[in-house]
Amino acid sequence: MIDIKGILGPLSALKFLGKAPHTIDYPKETKKTADRYRGIHYNDVEACIGCGSCGTICENDAIDMVNVGFDPNKADTGFRPVVDYGRCCWCALCVDVCPSGSLSLTKDYVYVDDDPKKFLYVPGLQELGKVNIDSTDDLKELAKIEKENRPKLKEGERSWYQKDRTEGLLEFNRVPMKELPGSTRIKSFAEVVLGYTEEEAFMESIRCLGCGLCISACPDRMHIPDYIQAITERDYNSSANIIYENNPLPEMCGKVCTRQCETACVYHNRGDAVAIRWLKRFTTEQFDDFRTIINAEVKPLNGKKVGIIGAGPAGLTVGYYLRLRGYDVTIYEALSKAGGMTMAGIPKYRFPLDSLDKQISYMEEMGVRIHYNTRVGKDIMFDEIMDTYDAVFIGIGFHDPYDLGLKGEKEAKSGVISAVELLRRVNFGEKVDVGKKVAVIGGGNVAIDGARVSKRLGNVDVTILYRRRVQDMPADWEEIEGAEDEGVHIVPQAIPEEIMLDKNGKVTGIKYVMAEMVDDGKGGRPRPKKIEGSEKILPIDTLVGAIGQQADYSFLPDEYLFKTQDDEKSGSKKGIDTFWGRILVHGYNETTMKKVFSGGDMVNRTADAISAIADGLNAVKGIDLFLQGGKETKVNHSVTESDLDKNKLLDKHYKMKHENGKLVSVKLDLSGNIVTESVKIAKDPDELKKDVEKKEVNKSTDKANSKDKTMSYPTKNTNGETKKEEKKSKSKKKSKKKKKKK
Amino acid sequence: MGFSKLTETKVLLKQYFKDIISIEEGGEQRLIIDLQSKDITSMINHLKDFMDFKHLSMISCVDWPEENKFEIVYILTSYSKNIVLMLKTKIDRKNPKLQSIMSLWPQAVTYEIELNEMFGVFFEGNDRMGEEFILEDWDDIPPMRRDFDSLEYANKNFKFRDERKDKKIIREFISEHYDEWRKK
Ligand SMILES: Cc1cc2nc3c(=O)[nH]c(=O)nc-3n(C[C@H](O)[C@H](O)[C@H](O)COP(=O)(O)OP(=O)(O)OC[C@H]3O[C@@H](n4cnc5c(N)ncnc54)[C@H](O)[C@@H]3O)c2cc1C
Ligand code: SF4
């Protein structure tokens, strides 16, 4: 049989007749080249984050990183690649590995120079003749011009332009984490997240490029790439040791950390960040007991004693690392267990008890002494601590819930409970009866925890009432989803008005009114405004309040509180200074009072466990300096105006004062004179945080606006462009100006 | 309804070559066949002469130092069946030898010389074996082997320019300046 197909087959190529060829130019164009041409990389300097992956992978060592001079944002090193075209072999590995997708290669020659010795170019900036930039605005503008002026690719023509490519060397999807299904979860307090297997952890760990940008976002500056690298080498022992270098509660962080590091991961913008938290969790889960594997050196006692108030993450960190440095440490803890809010607040389905016990018992073995059930101010006086110890650390956290301020709250005899109290009682194994219907007020993580715990207390209907929209909730998105999965009902834009009570003072319902979101008129986030006549009553058995907490400073006697100038004139010592309920600290977490240091929730604004640990570590350095530094101590126990500014203060200043046995705050001006008397700090801390953030944003835009925005191109041709090129770039500028005028 | 050409090819090949390690579909109109090295020449012969795989698209190689193997890959195409085959076989990395297929396709010579230069695989019966392909006066291990350190080679053979004399390892350089740029 004659194979007709074999004869006709080649004719099918005729269908390409008349189509533009992909491989050759027709009619043939010879490429125009200049005398000294170099350069085949493009870099979108705005998208580039300076991670250095290009230079690390280059098999020819053709890339260095240079500081181009501007002040970078978080998750940007401020460096940009400079390519040595005497070495580049055009292999495009650098493009394939570029996680931001900013780098690309072309077959055009981008840079031209008369000087045969010039080989080094900063792609993305050198084309524009400007390798030093002043600000991120500048950077943005330059990146825009550069992109606009790239030669356009012909149809069908490909370059190593990576932005939308998913193939290549990078894996943008994270290894998913297995969880219990929602319906199973609510039946018990069993841990929801199941953890990675060895293989899953390996697959996730090899995604890490090792650039270390995440470190800049971690309050505690953990050595993230190093411990992930150890996982890829399956050396879990070193991984755990690296983690323990600056985190004594790694398993807790591995389970519940707020993981700010992941937002700075190079993958974050184009895919899933490396699961840094889960990897840390994986490492710590490989060991039942840390004693055998952590080879921390415990120095012999040096004779100095440090007293610590509160065994939360902050206090424990101070205790552990000071003990390693040879200090005799004693922690006073009001509760019967250590861990602070991570013990008393965080629900056990997120952070199980045995996991906490494992970490605390390791610390105690290392010589950290903890006196449980000892409340300072009641079981032992603050004076005594000040007299006994060479330095004192205060880390008492925020345990005092805000009142809801609702009608009926004071009269209620039963059925109203704060989320922190509910969580504490449940976590300490008490039986709590919340009835069959629960409403939770608040929109933060504590509110969600309160709701999800209530859900687990039996067949309970749980509703969250929140003033604003769901997308405004300060709680983590995962937590909100988790709650919804478990059947928690969320009612947004609901403002509670009154607690309904029966004649015995027992809660029967909550009256709330629906709100519409209105523009606040100042460009801020919309505010809820009550809709008249939309009142509703939700019948409930228990109302859980979760609108924020504050510190309980009642253990501090008056003489240790900050003095106004008048007091100082009269000769009394300067005490511990606070602002909006937070203790003011300096560089090493020293307070305004000599030998007193402080950290954790009642100092920082991020109010999470890792920030408390970071505060603790910082205080360890400060206490060490203070007690060993002799006269040369760098620790500075006073407040200056610039410190106040650093602490992100608004324009006024508060102080704590005892009044009728209760601590209240008093408004002061910067020199410490009382402005107004007696205001209780009752502002929702979320609101406060937002206010401060807003202030900062305004400040930075003000700053940017005030800066001269005109960009300076070198007037003299310093980068040695040919005449023709120079003209071209001039005309670029002109056309830009025109555009601006329009 | 008959079998598709792909299934038919799969079934036929399985019948003829009992020792096939695996044969699976690798996409639309594509088969990936894993073979023992002893079968490779007879399989290619059979495919060309009796099953109309007339076109040799390319020969390539993958280095698996962990297993101490080279994997040689042949890609054949049949225009009548509209099927692309990928034949793979693993050979010993210490003594990498395979029969040349230049008698079937003269252009195979070039691929074989290239693999010889880049990986050190020897093709018996190829009379141009050992000729220089693109490397001149190469005096190191074949450069596409994974144990060849290109960076080390580049740094041994090429100087850094004056501006880059104090070149640092990038990660170290960045972390050195770390605190400076993150302070803000
Ligand atoms: C419900 C809830 C969920 C949370 N979830 C997370 C989370 O998922 N991830 C995260 O990172 N953070 C979370 N946090 C925040 C985190 O728990 C805290 O930021 C962290 O515990 C703060 O540590 P700290 O050491 O400053 O204070 P705390 O942990 O509050 O510890 C202070 C300790 O001091 C003790 N104390 C107080 N007064 C005295 C006194 N007078 N005498 C003796 N001892 C005293 C207290 O009993 C307590 O043990 C959560 C908080 C809550 C309330
Ligand atoms: S193209 Fe290749 S050789 Fe050139 S800089 Fe990038 S990685 Fe290095």
Side-chain angles (χ1 to χ4, degrees):
Chain A
M1 198 180 83
I2 303 172
D3 182 358
I4 297 198
K5 257 205 172 155
I7 296 168
L8 293 182
L11 295 180
S12 66
L14 286 175
K15 70 176 177 219
F16 294 111
L17 208 66
K19 290 206 176 149
H22 284 200
T23 45
I24 48 163
D25 295 330
Y26 187 82
K28 193 159 171 44
E29 282 171 29
T30 22
K31 264 211 174 326
K32 279 184 223 70
T33 52
D35 297 342
R36 303 283 176 195
Y37 46 79
R38 314 258 185 261
I40 39 202
H41 289 82
Y42 284 126
N43 192 17
D44 175 349
V45 283
E46 189 192 350
C48 179
I49 45 180
C51 66
S53 301
C54 46
T56 306
I57 201 169
C58 179
E59 298 274 71
N60 290 323
D61 253 350
I63 299 184
D64 281 334
M65 302 299 287
V66 287
N67 192 340
V68 288
F70 70 106
D71 198 6
N73 295 328
K74 238 189 206 174
D76 180 357
T77 64
F79 293 91
R80 294 295 178 262
V82 49
V83 185
D84 179 351
Y85 285 109
R87 277 183 163 248
C88 172
C89 73
W90 208 22
C91 70
L93 273 175
C94 49
V95 177
D96 273 340
V97 82
C98 178
S100 64
S102 65
L103 203 60
S104 58
L105 272 182
T106 110
K107 54 191 171 61
D108 299 295
Y109 298 105
V110 188
Y111 322 108
V112 188
D113 203 312
D114 285 334
D115 180 1
K117 290 209 176 106
K118 187 135 178 47
F119 281 94
L120 306 187
Y121 289 90
V122 185
L125 292 175
Q126 206 103 31
E127 301 98 299
L128 308 175
K130 192 167 183 314
V131 288
N132 258 306
I133 33 189
D134 314 323
S135 66
T136 36
D137 288 341
D138 224 13
L139 189 77
K140 272 186 195 141
E141 201 127 343
L142 285 168
K144 208 172 125 218
I145 301 176
E146 187 265 323
K147 270 185 279 184
E148 276 170 9
N149 286 290
R150 280 182 191 182
K152 298 273 171 305
L153 289 180
K154 297 201 193 76
E155 205 198 311
E157 193 178 32
R158 257 186 87 163
S159 81
W160 284 282
Y161 183 53
Q162 219 235 9
K163 196 138 218 159
D164 307 314
R165 278 178 59 184
T166 46
E167 77 253 39
L169 299 172
L170 304 175
E171 173 57 64
F172 286 102
N173 299 319
R174 85 162 45 163
V175 176
M177 175 56 86
K178 292 186 292 297
E179 285 183 2
L180 290 178
S183 52
T184 319
R185 282 187 233 155
I186 53 169
K187 291 185 186 131
S188 73
F189 280 83
E191 202 172 357
V192 169
V193 171
L194 299 174
Y196 277 149
T197 62
E198 194 168 352
E199 224 30 56
E200 287 170 334
F202 175 75
M203 290 312 289
E204 184 60 24
S205 70
I206 55 174
R207 292 178 61 216
C208 174
L209 294 174
C211 67
L213 275 165
C214 45
I215 305 176
S216 70
C218 172
D220 193 33
R221 315 249 175 265
M222 297 200 61
H223 314 303
I224 300 162
D226 298 352
Y227 69 71
I228 293 185
Q229 172 72 23
I231 298 177
T232 58
E233 289 159 11
R234 299 188 195 248
D235 182 358
Y236 309 131
N237 206 323
S238 328
S239 183
N241 270 293
I242 296 169
I243 294 172
Y244 253 97
E245 273 169 23
N246 56 354
N247 188 338
L249 292 163
E251 190 158 329
M252 182 265 291
C253 288
K255 289 176 196 260
V256 302
C257 187
T258 43
R259 61 190 195 293
Q260 297 165 45
C261 52
E262 290 180 16
T263 55
C265 177
V266 291
Y267 287 112
H268 182 66
N269 288 336
R270 292 174 70 206
D272 303 338
V274 173
I276 300 174
R277 174 174 60 165
W278 297 148
L279 288 173
K280 177 154 62 251
R281 172 195 173 113
F282 169 80
T283 291
T284 56
E285 277 181 343
Q286 301 315 299
F287 307 100
D288 291 334
D289 187 348
F290 291 121
R291 261 171 307 175
T292 45
I293 56 132
I294 303 298
N295 32 38
E297 184 205 348
V298 190
K299 294 224 176 93
L301 291 177
N302 61 16
K304 301 269 192 214
K305 294 196 291 181
V306 179
I308 298 163
I309 305 173
L316 289 168
T317 306
V318 174
Y320 178 73
Y321 290 107
L322 278 183
R323 180 62 201 92
L324 293 190
R325 291 183 188 215
Y327 292 91
D328 185 353
V329 293
T330 310
I331 304 182
Y332 296 92
E333 169 55 54
L335 298 171
S336 62
K337 275 191 151 306
M341 268 305 177
T342 66
M343 165 66 214
I346 301 180
K348 296 300 154 208
Y349 60 84
R350 290 209 282 132
F351 182 38
L353 193 57
D354 48 354
S355 172
L356 178 69
D357 283 346
K358 172 173 138 192
Q359 298 171 88
I360 306 282
S361 66
Y362 166 70
M363 279 189 210
E364 289 186 299
E365 300 260 339
M366 300 299 277
V368 178
R369 200 180 309 118
I370 308 178
H371 292 309
Y372 295 103
N373 298 316
T374 312
R375 178 172 287 279
V376 177
K378 187 170 146 249
D379 305 308
I380 179 171
M381 291 300 141
F382 186 68
D383 278 316
E384 194 182 332
I385 292 182
M386 285 296 277
D387 291 344
T388 317
Y389 296 99
D390 301 304
V392 173
F393 179 85
I394 305 176
I396 56 164
F398 275 0
H399 287 247
D400 220 14
Y402 285 139
D403 291 341
L404 289 167
L406 294 180
K407 207 169 139 200
E409 187 177 9
K410 293 231 164 59
E411 295 76 26
K413 298 236 163 49
S414 66
V416 180
I417 186 171
S418 69
V420 278
E421 189 187 338
L422 172 76
L423 292 165
R424 183 174 62 240
R425 287 172 56 186
V426 171
N427 282 348
F428 276 92
E430 276 179 48
K431 249 190 102 51
V432 184
D433 183 10
V434 291
K436 287 285 161 232
K437 284 192 161 61
V438 172
V440 180
I441 294 178
N445 280 326
V446 179
I448 303 271
D449 279 340
R452 292 177 72 177
V453 159
S454 303
K455 195 80 201 166
R456 283 166 172 77
L457 296 176
N459 186 15
V460 183
D461 258 354
V462 182
T463 309
I464 295 179
L465 300 179
Y466 180 56
R467 304 165 64 85
R468 296 164 190 266
R469 297 163 302 179
V470 174
Q471 62 263 45
D472 298 323
M473 288 175 104
D476 287 348
W477 194 240
E478 286 171 15
E479 285 290 309
I480 299 174
E481 269 180 355
E484 284 186 329
D485 276 356
E486 290 166 10
V488 171
H489 186 51
I490 299 178
V491 182
Q493 285 161 255
I495 303 177
E497 295 239 289
E498 186 184 346
I499 303 173
M500 316 304 285
L501 305 168
D502 66 12
K503 56 182 182 313
N504 300 325
K506 191 181 167 333
V507 173
T508 57
I510 171 91
K511 181 153 129 202
Y512 63 95
V513 52
M514 299 310 289
E516 56 184 342
M517 302 306 289
V518 294
D519 192 25
D520 75 339
K522 290 175 224 141
R525 64 173 184 167
R527 307 198 148 273
K529 187 176 153 240
K530 287 180 190 171
I531 303 171
E532 291 306 323
S534 67
E535 283 86 0
K536 286 181 188 163
I537 293 181
L538 181 73
I540 50 167
D541 302 317
T542 304
L543 182 68
V544 178
I547 57 162
Q549 295 85 243
Q550 57 190 338
D552 175 6
Y553 293 115
S554 57
F555 71 93
L556 279 178
D558 226 353
E559 60 189 285
Y560 291 102
L561 293 177
F562 183 70
K563 303 293 179 303
T564 59
Q565 277 190 338
D566 289 344
D567 298 338
E568 263 179 87
K569 269 182 224 145
S570 68
S572 58
K573 286 183 301 200
K574 201 167 189 183
I576 297 171
D577 196 2
T578 57
F579 173 76
W580 279 92
R582 288 189 160 87
I583 291 188
L584 281 177
V585 296
H586 292 250
Y588 285 108
N589 275 65
E590 66 269 32
T591 65
T592 45
M593 176 140 200
K594 201 160 176 194
K595 92 176 189 185
V596 180
F597 294 74
S598 181
D601 280 1
M602 13 77 72
V603 166
N604 63 54
R605 286 180 181 278
T606 25
D608 56 2
I610 192 68
S611 307
I613 292 173
D615 275 357
L617 261 165
N618 197 30
V620 165
K621 286 183 207 145
I623 294 173
D624 203 17
L625 264 178
F626 175 67
L627 294 180
Q628 300 301 326
K631 276 177 235 150
E632 279 302 308
T633 169
K634 286 186 188 147
V635 178
N636 164 24
H637 287 284
S638 73
V639 180
T640 62
E641 235 168 273
S642 67
D643 285 317
L644 288 174
D645 192 42
K646 196 185 78 204
N647 274 287
K648 296 168 190 144
L649 305 186
L650 314 174
D651 47 357
K652 292 285 182 284
H653 182 187
Y654 287 71
K655 101 177 194 113
M656 305 302 274
K657 192 179 153 202
H658 282 286
E659 222 178 62
N660 310 329
K662 222 174 149 52
L663 217 59
V664 291
S665 72
V666 186
K667 226 176 198 179
L668 305 181
D669 65 15
L670 280 178
S671 30
N673 300 315
I674 295 180
V675 181
T676 48
E677 277 283 349
S678 185
V679 248
K680 192 162 170 353
I681 326 149
K683 194 153 183 180
D684 175 357
D686 289 331
E687 297 264 308
L688 181 59
K689 218 156 98 191
K690 294 254 154 73
D691 280 354
V692 173
E693 272 163 19
K694 221 183 329 173
K695 269 250 152 92
E696 271 163 30
V697 170
N698 288 342
K699 228 192 200 164
S700 62
T701 45
D702 283 354
K703 220 166 108 192
N705 286 338
S706 67
K707 253 197 187 164
D708 187 8
K709 256 188 162 176
T710 50
M711 279 191 296
S712 59
Y713 290 93
T715 40
K716 215 177 136 235
N717 193 348
T718 46
N719 65 326
E721 289 171 329
T722 58
K723 289 267 154 56
K724 213 169 153 194
E725 293 283 315
E726 196 184 340
K727 258 187 214 154
K728 216 163 116 193
S729 64
K730 267 187 192 158
S731 63
K732 266 182 219 166
K733 266 183 276 169
K734 265 188 201 156
S735 61
K736 231 213 117 247
K737 268 186 198 155
K738 267 185 209 159
K739 263 183 212 158
K740 261 194 179 164
K741 270 183 195 161
K742 275 180 201 169
Chain B
M1 209 180 79
F3 283 127
S4 73
K5 289 243 168 64
L6 200 71
T7 320
E8 187 186 298
T9 312
K10 213 158 126 181
V11 172
L12 284 178
L13 282 178
K14 266 194 189 155
Q15 263 171 19
Y16 292 140
F17 294 91
K18 297 271 183 288
D19 287 348
I20 283 183
I21 299 170
S22 74
I23 175 161
E24 55 192 69
E25 290 181 27
E28 216 180 299
Q29 298 299 87
R30 262 163 209 273
L31 287 180
I32 301 177
I33 306 166
D34 222 340
L35 291 169
Q36 298 187 10
S37 60
K38 69 175 173 58
D39 287 341
I40 196 89
T41 328
S42 48
M43 167 80 99
I44 292 177
N45 253 314
H46 182 86
L47 285 168
K48 185 179 180 203
D49 292 348
F50 301 107
M51 292 180 72
D52 209 29
F53 282 85
K54 292 265 158 59
H55 179 77
L56 169 72
S57 302
M58 71 165 198
I59 314 176
S60 185
C61 177
V62 185
D63 187 8
W64 299 102
E66 299 87 352
E67 297 173 36
N68 214 354
K69 294 273 193 248
F70 282 126
E71 187 170 38
I72 313 293
V73 184
Y74 295 86
I75 297 184
L76 309 184
T77 310
S78 161
Y79 290 108
S80 59
K81 294 185 164 64
N82 190 19
I83 290 176
V84 178
L85 289 188
M86 186 193 259
L87 306 180
K88 305 194 296 184
T89 185
K90 283 191 177 163
I91 58 175
D92 185 15
R93 197 169 179 273
K94 289 233 178 65
N95 183 22
K97 269 193 198 148
L98 212 60
Q99 195 109 53
S100 167
I101 54 165
M102 64 181 282
S103 54
L104 297 175
W105 284 286
Q107 72 270 29
V109 171
T110 317
Y111 290 115
E112 292 176 357
I113 298 176
E114 185 190 16
L115 293 187
N116 182 252
E117 185 169 279
M118 294 294 167
F119 290 90
V121 181
F122 191 84
F123 290 88
E124 286 170 328
N126 181 332
D127 45 15
R128 287 171 58 197
M129 218 21 35
E131 245 177 50
E132 272 177 356
F133 181 60
I134 52 168
L135 303 177
E136 290 166 18
D137 301 326
W138 187 257
D139 57 357
D140 216 313
I141 63 169
M144 292 296 277
R145 289 196 179 197
R146 273 173 52 207
D147 47 4
F148 173 76
D149 188 335
S150 353
L151 188 56
E152 192 189 297
Y153 181 87
N155 285 340
K156 200 170 72 197
N157 289 283
F158 304 102
K159 273 195 331 204
F160 280 106
R161 247 151 255 295
D162 289 348
E163 302 99 302
R164 303 181 69 209
K165 273 230 173 81
D166 52 348
K167 154 118 187 98
K168 298 214 176 66
I169 295 172
I170 290 206
R171 295 280 192 244
E172 284 173 12
F173 173 72
I174 291 182
S175 55
E176 249 170 53
H177 291 73
Y178 200 19
D179 267 353
E180 200 181 300
W181 59 257
R182 67 143 188 87
K183 249 183 224 156
K184 283 202 84 166

